[in-house]
Amino acid sequence: MKNGINILLAGAVALAAANAAEAQTGRPFIHDPSTIAFCDGRYYTFGTGGGGLISDDGWTWRGGAVRPGGGAAPDVIKIGDRYLVAYSATGGGLGGGHAGRVLTMWNNTLNPESPDFAYTAPVEVASSLDDEDCDAIDAGLLLDPTTGRLWLSYGTYFGFIRLVELDPATGERVEGNEPVNIAIDCEATDLIYRNGWYYLLGTHGTCCDGANSTYNIVVGRSRSVTGPYLDNIGRDMLRGGGKMLLSAGNRKTGPGHFGRYIEDDGVEKMSFHYEADFDQGGRSVLAILPLLWHDDWPVAGENLRDGSYEIESQRHGYALELAVDFVRMPATRHRFWEEDNEPIVPIESQKLEDVIGGWGEGPNGVRLGDYMFRPHQRWTVEAVPDAGGYLGAPYYKIVIEGTDRALAATEDAELECVPAFTGSPEQLWRIEQLTDGTYRIMPKSVPGHETEQLALISVADSTPTLGRFDMNSDNSKWRFRDR
């Protein structure tokens, strides 16, 4: 009901490990989640039936969010210093009935422990009758950043998706405003705006059938908020069009109820639910993935999975490596200008045991260099259990493959590779896929710089360090490659 640019993985990854970096921890059980909102240092999302989830870090979720009124498929948006919540009282086409109402209410805070926590009386802003070709359910809110106008989309698979205008000061429907039909064959819609385009995200398929639910998320775009919303091959969503954004995968099925969260310049997330997470007994669960953009179309990204990689600077293509002496490999030289009839014998790759003896026992420096798939250039990245996380992903450790030598931040805001991973904050890494498909890499904390958010950057072709992240600079961007 309401509402990747992929990387190649290293070898076969165990199923539990593969899913670990994609699933929220705690008890993320919810159906029809609202767009995620941030309030008083916490993240909130609301669902069908009342209530919702709270997270202190965006990774571990628990119950406790409060939303009166019950009903279905809410959405929430911050306008000024207040929060507007829209939800549906009835509807959904269940049992042949299409009667429904969408209501809005305000709160100064989403924190139920705050003395300012109090919802206003709900106000009806849309409705539908039993014999109407639209269900007033599945609210989606958009505050247009170009005009300041507030819009509400609603409707289900049983009829039209409709759009009405609300007053951003009161949350009430603009007097005399008539609904506009903008789509069919979808539900759980959400509207977003980016780069001159309005996007209508809809959920196609069937819901509420657990592992057999066929929900998937589709999208169309328009230069006007009222449409027409066309997909990538020109099909109008009012005639059933829609470009696929996300379908089932990784033992989770039925993605629906899209929401967009802009975390930082170049760092966006998409929230939604899976109708059934097979590893959670088929429960409906909250999910969060990176939101990428390609040719002005949204693309579902993915959280980095455990594996061994080259960590490559977008600046030049050089690889992050230990600052150790280069060890030559024994190899026969062939005179390419002479005929060679000798048997062909493959050369083995350089092994860790061939070189680690020269690395010493203390911390090693870190630099950038030409990638040659040598042991000092291969990094194993793994999610760290019970270390917490950030919005939609866990903290990772980054160690030299086959060792416990861990990448760490120093008090000078530089990098080193320490002999052993201890789980300390300067050894935990936040790895987020950016809107262009590259990655931002940030330590959880830098000793002596705890109030700063510093990222791994390349200040020269061979010099990595920690500094301010700049989405407009390739110095701040990295790729993880298995090669």
Side-chain angles (χ1 to χ4, degrees), residues 14 54 171 191 208 256 439-440 453:
I54 303 174
L191 286 164
C208 313
Y439 286 83
R440 177 174 72 173
Q453 279 201 325

Side-chain angles (χ1 to χ4, degrees), residues 295-371:
D295 291 338
D296 281 328
W297 285 102
V299 177
E302 63 177 22
N303 292 323
L304 191 69
R305 299 193 191 184
D306 291 0
S308 294
Y309 302 93
E310 172 209 0
I311 302 177
E312 179 183 285
S313 170
Q314 183 76 351
R315 171 190 169 100
H316 190 282
Y318 286 155
L320 194 70
E321 63 181 27
L322 288 188
V324 295
D325 290 337
F326 181 82
V327 178
R328 294 183 58 80
M329 295 177 59
T332 302
R333 295 188 180 183
H334 297 276
R335 297 181 177 180
F336 53 84
W337 60 88
E338 295 180 356
E339 185 176 359
D340 185 352
N341 295 316
E342 293 296 320
I344 296 175
V345 179
I347 297 175
E348 289 189 1
S349 298
Q350 192 175 71
K351 296 183 176 62
L352 179 64
E353 54 264 31
D354 298 332
V355 296
I356 194 171
W359 292 358
E361 296 183 358
N364 297 107
V366 181
R367 68 188 177 205
L368 294 167
D370 293 295
Y371 184 66

Side-chain angles (χ1 to χ4, degrees), residues 59-204:
W59 176 240
T60 301
W61 294 83
R62 63 184 183 276
V66 176
R67 177 185 67 83
D75 200 16
V76 60
I77 188 172
K78 187 176 184 181
I79 301 177
D81 57 359
R82 296 187 299 165
Y83 296 85
L84 180 66
V85 175
Y87 68 99
S88 308
T90 53
L94 301 177
H98 296 259
R101 299 184 301 149
V102 178
L103 304 104
T104 63
M105 55 188 177
W106 295 92
N107 204 326
N108 292 325
T109 177
L110 301 179
N111 180 5
E113 300 168 0
S114 169
D116 296 326
F117 183 84
Y119 282 100
T120 61
V123 175
E124 182 179 306
V125 294
S127 62
S128 60
L129 303 175
D130 269 329
D131 59 353
E132 196 165 343
D133 53 2
C134 174
D135 296 327
I137 194 174
D138 289 4
L141 294 166
L142 168 68
L143 183 65
D144 189 334
T146 67
T147 64
R149 297 169 73 179
L150 178 63
W151 300 91
L152 169 79
S153 63
Y154 64 94
T156 70
Y157 203 92
F158 298 97
F160 288 105
I161 301 300
R162 288 183 172 162
L163 181 72
V164 294
E165 186 175 1
L166 307 183
D167 184 336
T170 66
E172 299 177 2
R173 185 159 160 180
V174 171
E175 187 175 354
N177 181 256
E178 294 296 327
V180 177
N181 295 333
I182 56 175
I184 59 170
D185 292 345
C186 63
E187 58 190 28
T189 55
D190 195 32
L191 286 164
I192 63 176
Y193 174 86
R194 181 184 183 273
N195 198 26
W197 290 100
Y198 296 90
Y199 296 86
L200 179 62
L201 287 298
T203 307
H204 188 267

Side-chain angles (χ1 to χ4, degrees), residues 237-281:
M237 291 185 74
L238 198 50
R239 292 176 172 81
K243 180 182 187 292
M244 179 71 72
L245 175 63
L246 186 65
S247 57
N250 299 313
R251 290 177 52 80
K252 302 177 186 69
T253 193
H257 288 256
F258 172 94
R260 178 193 187 198
Y261 187 95
I262 300 176
E263 185 175 0
D264 201 352
D265 182 25
V267 186
E268 299 186 16
K269 304 293 173 72
M270 55 179 283
S271 62
F272 56 99
H273 77 226
Y274 283 109
E275 288 280 330
D277 182 338
F278 286 21
D279 294 320
Q280 294 276 14

